[in-house]
Amino acid sequence: MTGTGTRHDRDGAPQPQRFVISFAGFNRPWAVWIAHRLEEHGHRVALQRWDPQSSPGLTDALGDLARAGGKVLVVLSERYFSAGTHTDEEWNVALRTVTASHPDRFAAVSLTDSPLPSAVAALEKTDLWGLDSYEAEYRVLRRLELPTDRIGTESGRRGPRFPNDPPEIWGRVPRRNPRFTGRNDVIGRLRAALTDAPPGASTVTLLGLSGVGKTQVATEYAYRFASEYDVVWWIPAEDRPTLRERLADLAPALGLPLGAGSYGEQIRAVLEALRRGTPYHRWLMVFDGCDHPDDLTDLLPSGAGDVIITSRNREWAARHTSLVEVPLYARPESVTFIRRRAGRLTGDEADQLAEALEDYPLALDQTAGWLADSPIGVGEYLTLLQHRLDSHEAVTLSDDYPLPFPTALAILLNNVRENFPDALALLRLFVFFAPGRVPLRLLREFPADDVPEHLAGIVNDQIRWNAALNKLVQFSVVRLEYSDLSVEEGGGLETVQLHRMVHNIVRENLAEEEAEQLSRSVRQVLAAADPGRPTDSRLWPRYAELIPHLEPAGVLTSSNPRIQNFLLHCLRYLTLAGEYRTCLRLAERTDGIWRALLGDDHDQVRELSYHYGGALRMLGHFRRAEVLARAVADRLVAERGDRDLETLRATSTYAGVLLSTAKFEEARHLLEHAFETYRELLGEDDSTTLNAQNNVAVALRLLGRYQEAYDIDLDTLRRRERVLRVRHIATLSSGVGCAMGLRLMGRYREALARQEQGLKLHIQVLGANHPQTLRAEHNLGQCLRRSGDIPGAGARLRSVLERSTRVFGAEFPWTLMVASDYATYLREYGDIEEARRISEDVVRGYQSQLGLAHPYSIGTVGNLGLVLRAQGERAEALSLAEQALVGMRGALGDRHPWTLGCALNATGHRNITGRLDDALDLSRETLRDAERVLGPDHPMTLSARIALAADLRAVREDIEASKHEDAGIKALTRTLGPQHVHTVSARRQTRPYWDFEPQP
């Protein structure tokens, strides 16, 4: 009868009861869900993870549960009975003893249909596996003799998901290890670190040796706590391209629009969605195997979710993550694991094996897997192991590995060699791909002519292939990963995972001749997989799949032109995808190899230099980029003359670096020559010619020749609209250039209107987070500020800075530019302390990258001086202002707009520090030069006129002061409007200052 054992109060209502739920850690989701449902019915529940190893015996451990008070509900599964090393008979004795001593105190639910000890019958278990939530709750309540009339009741407190219901998004989490053993203390510390972290900072790094089980712990945590997350997403993080690929893959799973943009766009959209908690608030991201923190730091998500990193690198302690150490197995864990892996071994034999292998999980897994089916006894194996250790017959040792592991692996490999030659051949092939994930698609696409003879039969015979692969899996040498897709959708077995330690040891002990043959075959496979179009972002996932295998396969050192072209395609992809650091690392290594192999003047070396130099420039290594680009350009000019198409490409590349190093005039001459020659050779509407024309406009804008630059930008825009169409990415870029030109000329309303429309097109075509869209949004923020929409400007600039910092890093040149503009905004309208901090960081960044004499370093020093002035540090501010003026005159001359801006600021600093005559003299000179360079109605010219009026008043020249002030206010009213912030400030006699803006 339902409810026969329920206690009721005097009014007949059921009274709350107390329950203790005993469960194996493996089944925690069930225990948590049952506890939540009982609490929703008003009962009190305590969770007790089952750990008989902490008690003297089974009977005592079960008795302790009864003594806790309340009814004990046992969650039964195979894991509950394998938590220790007890036999079925020991369990039967303990269960009969305890249930006899505590009648009606124990009940059970079962999650398995596997045979259990016979005495379980005394618990009168009810089965839950395979049920829906309603039926499962009904059976739990019935078994505990509780009312069943309020099933599904909710108090409003959000509870865990029903264990049979997976998270909404479950992304490529490795299959759960049915032999996972122990580690409850590690998982407990991991859970506590994530739970106790402050909001937005729940990031924990699992730290430990290779092969110690970090990935297994993270996998088990994901399964145990899956019911508490809406999203669980697993990302292999051994290399940055793969990391970015998997992070970008989350975008469609979250329902985010992909647009036509790059990985960068998709990644930024993912990080923003996670930060906001929309559409899912509870998420878990696992970054597996990240030993290089710089690869991941800028991609770490923030928000209400949790992040787990597995790594061997203790440097993560300095990267705002908590560390949880994953140690070797405790001896009871080792014994339990070995007996699960090799059931024929006794407890004593398992203990001996654990002692010999120093409780090292990977060695235990592989050795026990072999011993499970081997006729060799443990004693004989241990004798063999000790003999090899004494005689140093093991494979090559590394300080990274515990001493017995290479020896144990050598014994295992000898067994594989003697008994399973196909498996050994397959393993040797695997080690010429990168450690970690090897796509089976690549392995199955070996060209018939490139397969070594001993491998040909395996590759072409599916049965032999599967048998060899399964044997490697059995010995835990490799593990398999399956696609999330159904078989009907093309899912199934997808990658082979080879542990780094096994990879290194096997590879180090291959004969040189065999190694060369295998690596040559793998190179051919990789080149055959080249999609061939690195400019097509739809093919980028396939390139990202190939990048990790370039170095292990020897692609960088190949003399085969086909392989070299494949590598150049990969470098082009990395540049377009924004993977500048990976591109630089590969290009840098390849450059030295190819120069030695092919010579400095080889066409392939020159082609490589474009990718190498581009990565250097994008990462702020301008001096190195300049040396490299100049060498190529000079050589081609000498060999082919200055009208050869390849020469023009090289000189244009060199000119681009010159623009970065502020050699504006020299760059302009080169770019104008390239444009004129391209126009003559290719025609004025050729896309290459239009690119060259665009570059000329950039040079003129940097020289302060804003009207000329705008005219060229406008002509380029119109031609691109006609030739490439309105929505082409190059056309959109020209639109940004035109809007920037209008703003720099002081035509703020026109600039704002054009940039607002341009940003809408960018979002439609490229997506909201494409790098070029961010450039457009940054310019819109500046247009809003100059047009007087201060709140709108601040929101735009802050958003762009946050995204740029997160994706590119704080020292990235483009990030410094945005940070500089945001700091000037904060100085006037925000937090002055934050403005100072950001300004100082920007100055340090530019001085480090560009040197003290670069205009960007000089101009941002002047901006910092304005911050100091606002904080009352007048003497220091004056010093910086004068330093900026002298520096800018030396860098660009007296009449560059940036020099005039520095002069305008210096007049104000001189005025407030009492140098009135000096201020007046400089003000007259600045106004005169501004009228000549920018015209009488340019905002800077009008600011110089208002500043002159202030300096005239300071020396009692009131009549002349009023004349200039009236003229300035009238012009501001006419050009900007009566309510514009500049006009209002002039009427209030607030002295104007100028903000230096680094330009892209």
Side-chain angles (χ1 to χ4, degrees), residues 977-992:
Q979 300 304 316
H980 191 278
V981 62
H982 292 346
T983 309
V984 173
S985 295
R987 283 201 300 264
R988 293 174 178 172
Q989 296 187 345
T990 302
R991 187 179 190 103

Side-chain angles (χ1 to χ4, degrees), residues 462-511:
Q462 189 68 46
I463 295 176
R464 285 181 64 187
W465 173 279
N466 288 345
L469 188 60
N470 289 337
K471 190 56 65 175
L472 294 175
V473 172
Q474 176 187 335
F475 294 154
S476 295
V477 176
V478 303
R479 62 184 176 90
L480 306 180
E481 182 177 303
Y482 293 78
S483 169
D484 294 334
L485 300 176
S486 66
V487 175
E488 292 76 12
E489 296 175 306
L493 186 57
E494 187 172 42
T495 63
V496 172
Q497 300 260 5
L498 180 62
H499 196 281
R500 183 179 301 274
M501 291 179 61
V502 176
H503 180 282
N504 292 348
I505 290 175
V506 171
R507 178 148 180 172
E508 288 169 3
N509 288 273
L510 271 174

Side-chain angles (χ1 to χ4, degrees), residues 449-460:
D449 296 340
D450 294 320
V451 182
E453 184 177 348
H454 66 283
L455 266 173
I458 306 173
V459 171
N460 297 319

Side-chain angles (χ1 to χ4, degrees), residues 18 63 92 98 153 180 226 376 439 494 534 538 557 586 615 695 783 854 862 934 983:
R18 185 175 189 277
N92 286 331
V98 173
T153 185
F180 185 85
I376 189 173
E494 187 172 42
R538 295 169 298 181
T557 59
L586 293 174
N695 294 338
C783 290
H854 192 283
L934 299 170
T983 309

Side-chain angles (χ1 to χ4, degrees), residues 307-580:
V307 176
I308 297 174
I309 302 164
T310 70
S311 180
R312 298 175 297 169
N313 192 340
R314 192 170 291 275
E315 185 184 339
W316 276 111
R319 301 298 181 104
H320 307 293
T321 76
S322 302
L323 294 187
V324 172
E325 301 266 2
V326 181
L328 300 175
Y329 271 148
R331 182 55 51 80
E333 292 176 325
S334 295
V335 172
T336 300
F337 176 79
I338 291 169
R339 296 195 66 192
R340 283 182 181 164
R341 192 77 171 89
R344 73 182 184 89
L345 303 188
T346 67
D348 287 342
E349 288 175 326
D351 186 79
Q352 294 172 33
L353 187 61
E355 175 73 23
L357 296 176
E358 298 182 3
D359 299 297
Y360 186 57
L362 182 58
L364 294 177
D365 190 20
Q366 294 179 339
T367 304
W370 172 44
L371 289 175
D373 296 322
S374 173
I376 189 173
V378 172
E380 185 180 352
Y381 175 81
L382 294 179
T383 300
L384 177 61
L385 180 67
Q386 189 58 51
H387 171 72
R388 281 179 168 267
L389 287 170
D390 292 342
S391 63
H392 305 288
E393 293 179 13
V395 294
T396 303
L397 299 178
S398 167
D399 292 339
D400 293 337
Y401 314 146
L403 183 61
F405 174 70
T407 308
L409 180 61
I411 295 171
L412 173 61
L413 293 178
N414 281 339
N415 174 65
V416 172
R417 181 184 300 109
E418 293 169 5
N419 299 300
F420 311 104
D422 283 359
L424 182 66
L426 207 56
L427 176 62
R428 287 176 170 172
L429 175 65
F430 290 167
V431 301
F432 287 92
F433 293 90
R437 303 162 70 225
V438 180
L440 279 174
R441 177 180 61 80
L442 297 180
L443 295 172
R444 296 262 171 81
E445 293 177 359
F446 264 85
D449 296 340
D450 294 320
V451 182
E453 184 177 348
H454 66 283
L455 266 173
I458 306 173
V459 171
N460 297 319
D461 187 331
Q462 189 68 46
I463 295 176
R464 285 181 64 187
W465 173 279
N466 288 345
L469 188 60
N470 289 337
K471 190 56 65 175
L472 294 175
V473 172
Q474 176 187 335
F475 294 154
S476 295
V477 176
V478 303
R479 62 184 176 90
L480 306 180
E481 182 177 303
Y482 293 78
S483 169
D484 294 334
L485 300 176
S486 66
V487 175
E488 292 76 12
E489 296 175 306
L493 186 57
E494 187 172 42
T495 63
V496 172
Q497 300 260 5
L498 180 62
H499 196 281
R500 183 179 301 274
M501 291 179 61
V502 176
H503 180 282
N504 292 348
I505 290 175
V506 171
R507 178 148 180 172
E508 288 169 3
N509 288 273
L510 271 174
E512 184 175 345
E513 182 178 352
E514 183 178 8
E516 174 52 35
Q517 187 180 25
L518 288 169
S519 65
R520 184 170 59 249
S521 298
V522 172
R523 288 196 294 273
Q524 293 294 342
V525 169
L526 294 174
D530 180 3
R533 296 196 307 278
T535 56
D536 188 343
S537 62
R538 295 169 298 181
L539 299 174
W540 288 359
R542 293 176 61 184
Y543 277 109
E545 190 177 61
L546 300 174
I547 295 297
H549 308 294
L550 298 179
E551 292 178 272
V555 170
L556 276 60
T557 59
S558 175
S559 59
N560 186 326
R562 179 177 178 234
I563 306 299
Q564 292 172 351
N565 287 331
F566 161 58
L567 175 56
L568 292 172
H569 284 174
C570 290
L571 295 176
R572 176 66 171 153
Y573 147 73
L574 289 169
T575 300
L576 292 172
E579 287 299 323
Y580 306 123

Side-chain angles (χ1 to χ4, degrees), residues 607-810:
E607 189 66 30
L608 173 66
S609 74
Y610 296 132
H611 303 295
Y612 186 12
L616 287 169
R617 186 158 59 93
M618 294 306 297
L619 291 170
H621 304 302
F622 300 114
R623 295 180 184 86
R624 293 170 59 192
E626 182 177 354
V627 170
L628 180 64
R630 180 171 184 171
V632 174
D634 286 349
R635 185 166 59 251
L636 284 173
V637 169
E639 292 175 358
R640 305 185 184 186
D642 64 359
R643 293 177 57 81
D644 177 79
L645 291 179
E646 190 61 34
T647 303
L648 293 174
R649 180 186 178 192
T651 55
S652 297
T653 299
Y654 176 48
V657 184
L658 292 177
L659 291 178
S660 298
T661 55
K663 297 172 182 175
F664 300 146
E665 278 292 351
E666 184 179 354
R668 180 183 65 82
H669 286 300
L670 291 173
L671 292 172
E672 286 181 342
H673 170 74
F675 167 56
E676 291 164 2
T677 309
Y678 277 134
R679 184 169 55 184
E680 179 183 340
L681 296 177
L682 303 177
E684 60 185 8
D685 285 343
D686 184 86
S687 61
T688 303
T689 305
L690 293 177
N691 289 340
Q693 184 174 352
N694 175 81
N695 294 338
V696 172
V698 172
L700 291 172
R701 192 160 55 239
L702 287 167
L703 284 165
R705 294 161 60 175
Y706 299 141
Q707 183 66 57
E708 294 175 73
Y710 173 73
D711 291 341
I712 292 176
D713 270 328
L714 188 59
D715 182 66
T716 307
L717 173 62
R718 289 170 176 165
R719 292 179 183 277
R720 281 176 166 171
E721 286 177 338
R722 186 178 68 252
V723 175
L724 303 176
R725 304 307 181 198
V726 173
R727 298 167 68 88
H728 191 279
I729 187 172
T731 309
L732 296 177
S733 177
S734 285
V736 177
C738 286
M740 185 182 299
L742 289 169
R743 175 171 60 81
L744 293 173
M745 290 189 295
R747 294 160 61 177
Y748 298 146
R749 281 192 290 265
E750 294 176 75
L752 179 60
R754 178 175 285 279
Q755 192 57 79
E756 284 180 330
Q757 181 61 28
L759 180 59
K760 290 177 183 177
L761 275 173
H762 273 82
I763 293 172
Q764 291 172 7
V765 176
L766 302 177
N769 293 295
H770 189 279
Q772 187 166 300
T773 306
L774 291 178
R775 178 187 167 207
E777 187 174 354
H778 166 254
N779 190 51
L780 177 59
Q782 293 293 82
C783 290
L784 288 168
R785 182 180 175 190
R786 299 306 171 204
S787 298
D789 183 354
I790 304 306
R796 293 284 185 182
L797 293 173
R798 181 175 62 252
S799 174
V800 175
L801 177 58
E802 288 174 352
R803 284 177 283 168
S804 180
T805 302
R806 184 167 62 236
V807 175
F808 299 118

Side-chain angles (χ1 to χ4, degrees), residues 622-623 626 657-664 702 846-861 884 887-888 891-892 898 996 998-999:
F622 300 114
R623 295 180 184 86
E626 182 177 354
V657 184
L658 292 177
L659 291 178
S660 298
T661 55
K663 297 172 182 175
F664 300 146
L702 287 167
Y846 276 136
Q847 289 182 345
S848 173
Q849 290 182 9
L850 302 171
L852 299 178
H854 192 283
Y856 290 5
S857 300
I858 297 165
T860 52
V861 163
M888 205 66 84
L892 300 175
W898 296 349
F996 171 72
Q999 294 180 21

